[in-house]
Amino acid sequence: MALDITDLTPPPGFERLVLAQDPEAGLRALICLHSTRLGPAAGGCRMWAYDDDRAAIHDVTRLARGMTYKNAMADLGLGGGKAVIIGDARRDKTPRMMQAFGAAVDALGGTYWTAEDVGISPADMAHAATRTGFAVGLSGASGDPSPWTAEGVFRCLRVGAAHAFGTEDLSERRVLVQGLGHVGLSLAEKLAAAGARLIVTDINEAALQDARDRLGAQVCAPEAVFDQPMDIFAPCALGGVLTQRTAAMLGARLVCGAANNQLADEDVAAALAARGVTYLPDYVVNAGGIISVASEIHGQSDAWRLDRLGAIADRVARMLHQARQTDALPAQVADRMVEEMLAAPRAA
């Protein structure tokens, strides 16, 4: 059976949702386009062993919407989209699967650009690129976007610290990094170099041992995260970790991390604020990776990437100032800024 692309009914406000299947290649994937108003949709491909299709659709739609907001806020001339491959990346992924995924992306005719996300590496994306010109984040081009994401989060975290504590100095600040993948580990290294008292958690024992040995990090069990005394919480794993229950337990005064969709629902931002916790919207602070990818899409130089990376922290500072002036949540300020961009007349 050849590759099959089936259009599903997208949620209200979304442009397109497709199911891509190639049983011989082991591919079952969803690609979601939330908005192409500001340009072609761009966003990474994640591979995850979802419990069922409903869970996969929930994840891909939330992520695609988040990419619209992220790309708009970072001024990248791109819309928002996302892809998820259903399966265990450690067990099920093959070059043939990734080639079939590339063919699925190509079938969308340039309306969606893909790159790495959880479970997908630059080498995997290179296999996809053999079947499409719309796969980026390739070695020898913009490369792994993770270091750019980590650098952007680190810069924003320092701005957030100045807001929450009166100084951006991280010496002796207790920072808990949840998740030691490519981005989380890179962020942990930057925090350790800045003198932070590092606490880390992950399900990967080797990553924990490395952080303990190299960075002097304290290790905590994943289920004990919200019992830890900390100043700053940096979620760098999967989304939805901040619920009404965990927000009530959190001891930090600042939340700034790389994970997408950190809040289980929008009301959690208000619950955090009521407890004196500053939450920096994830789609604003974690834009470094898509900035790197966008430079490849647009054929731009490192100077272009660095300019937009530097602008992330400035944008957070303005957002926090405006939130304080208007007595609004930073997340509300950020959302309003993006909604105004999406509502503005299209440029000629």
Side-chain angles (χ1 to χ4, degrees), residues 1-4 20-28 94 96-97 100:
M1 177 179 175
L3 175 70
D4 178 70
Q21 299 183 92
D22 185 335
E24 292 181 2
L27 177 72
R28 183 175 174 82
T94 65
R96 187 178 180 187
M97 172 191 287

Side-chain angles (χ1 to χ4, degrees), residues 10 35 77 92 135 154 193-194 223-224 228 239 256 307 320 333 335 341 344 348:
S35 173
D92 303 329
F154 179 69
E223 64 273 13
Q228 302 300 310
C256 178
D307 177 67
L320 289 171
V333 173
D335 286 354
M341 295 176 197

Side-chain angles (χ1 to χ4, degrees), residues 159-167 173 231-232 253-254 276 278 320 324:
V159 172
H163 175 85
F165 306 110
T167 175
R173 292 278 175 219
D231 300 306
I232 301 170
R253 287 175 55 192
L254 173 66
T278 299
L320 289 171
R324 182 170 277 166

Side-chain angles (χ1 to χ4, degrees), residues 35-126:
S35 173
T36 57
R37 180 170 180 77
L38 300 180
C45 172
R46 168 175 296 185
M47 186 167 182
W48 194 255
Y50 296 98
D51 291 338
D52 52 36
D53 284 1
R54 183 176 178 179
I57 290 172
H58 175 75
D59 200 31
V60 78
T61 52
R62 287 194 74 197
L63 290 166
R65 181 181 182 274
M67 290 307 305
T68 294
Y69 279 60
K70 183 185 301 187
N71 293 341
M73 182 65 88
D75 189 26
L76 298 181
L78 295 169
K82 204 75 176 184
V84 298
I85 297 174
I86 301 170
D88 186 327
R90 293 168 295 183
R91 184 188 66 222
D92 303 329
K93 186 173 56 179
T94 65
R96 187 178 180 187
M97 172 191 287
M98 293 308 303
Q99 290 164 2
F101 172 70
V105 170
D106 206 64
L108 300 185
T111 57
Y112 168 65
W113 289 77
T114 192
E116 302 90 342
D117 197 356
V118 175
I120 301 295
S121 70
D124 298 325
M125 202 48 57

Side-chain angles (χ1 to χ4, degrees), residues 46 118 177-181 184 201-202 234-239 241 257-260 262:
R46 168 175 296 185
V118 175
V177 178
Q178 182 188 42
L180 291 176
T201 188
D202 199 286
C236 296
L238 295 179
V241 296
N260 290 309
Q262 294 165 21

Side-chain angles (χ1 to χ4, degrees), residues 136-336:
V136 285
L138 305 175
S139 298
S142 64
D144 184 359
S146 301
W148 292 81
T149 304
E151 178 63 21
V153 172
F154 179 69
R155 294 186 187 194
C156 294
L157 188 147
R158 291 173 60 186
V159 172
H163 175 85
F165 306 110
T167 175
E168 67 175 27
D169 184 7
L170 298 175
S171 299
E172 297 303 308
R173 292 278 175 219
R174 294 167 300 180
V175 185
L176 194 152
V177 178
Q178 182 188 42
L180 291 176
H182 291 292
V183 177
L185 180 58
S186 181
L187 178 61
E189 291 168 345
K190 295 175 187 297
L191 291 165
R197 293 170 57 188
L198 202 57
I199 310 165
V200 296
T201 188
D202 199 286
I203 58 174
N204 185 330
E205 287 296 328
L208 292 175
Q209 187 64 49
D210 176 54
R212 182 190 289 116
D213 293 345
R214 283 197 306 113
L215 307 179
Q218 172 189 334
V219 170
C220 82
E223 64 273 13
V225 165
F226 296 100
D227 298 323
Q228 302 300 310
M230 68 184 96
D231 300 306
I232 301 170
F233 178 46
C236 296
L238 295 179
V241 296
L242 287 165
T243 64
Q244 291 291 339
R245 183 183 70 83
T246 58
M249 299 169 63
L250 185 66
R253 287 175 55 192
L254 173 66
V255 176
C256 178
N260 290 309
N261 298 323
Q262 294 165 21
L263 308 184
D265 61 70
E266 294 179 0
D267 292 340
V268 176
L272 290 168
R275 300 187 61 244
V277 182
T278 299
Y279 163 69
L280 301 185
D282 47 62
Y283 71 81
V284 181
V285 307
N286 67 9
I290 193 63
I291 287 171
S292 177
V293 167
S295 72
E296 190 176 341
I297 293 173
H298 294 315
Q300 293 288 351
S301 65
D302 277 352
W304 186 91
R305 287 201 283 184
L306 290 167
D307 177 67
R308 277 158 176 74
L309 183 71
I312 297 176
D314 294 338
R315 197 170 290 117
V316 168
R318 292 197 302 272
M319 178 186 69
L320 289 171
H321 175 75
Q322 188 174 339
R324 182 170 277 166
Q325 293 294 108
T326 60
D327 197 27
L329 299 176
Q332 293 171 330
V333 173
D335 286 354
R336 282 200 298 264

